[in-house]
Amino acid sequence: MPKYAEEILAAVTELQQHPTAEQVFLEMKREHPSIALGTVYKHLNGLAEEGLLLRITEQGSPDRYDRTERHDHLICSRCGKIADVHLPDIQSRIEHALGREILSYDLKIRYICPDCRKQEENNAEGGTQ
Ligand SMILES: [Zn+2]
Ligand SMILES: [Zn+2]
């Protein structure tokens, strides 16, 4: 694996914050001031195609990258923040329902995150100005 690809993979899996390509780029730039954004994109695409990274696409926001270890996502409908959730494996249940084996599933659960909910409550309390 090319040197950058290995470091990019490590950056995404270790940060565990679902970074965008831009955030990975900034992280890489600390060690490699001359690295180009295009290089980071190229490696992220390559790693996603090889199945070493997971790409999370969400309409209206930039793609994010993630480790491939089995877990699911809670996505805030307000701010777009992504949180990891570890649900008991539902693959066997899906397979049972379908009566056939599946390769994978992609689950995105949408909610209002605690921060946004708090903000909403504060606004409600504020009432009329
Ligand atoms: Zn939120
Ligand atoms: Zn995740």
Side-chain angles (χ1 to χ4, degrees), residues 18 66 71 73 84:
H18 311 96
D66 198 5
H71 65 283
H73 291 121
D84 285 341

Side-chain angles (χ1 to χ4, degrees), residues 75-82 111-117 119:
I75 302 176
C76 177
S77 292
R78 290 283 148 77
C79 67
K81 193 159 59 192
I82 300 178
Y111 80 141
I112 310 290
C113 78
D115 287 346
C116 289
R117 196 166 286 279
Q119 216 168 2

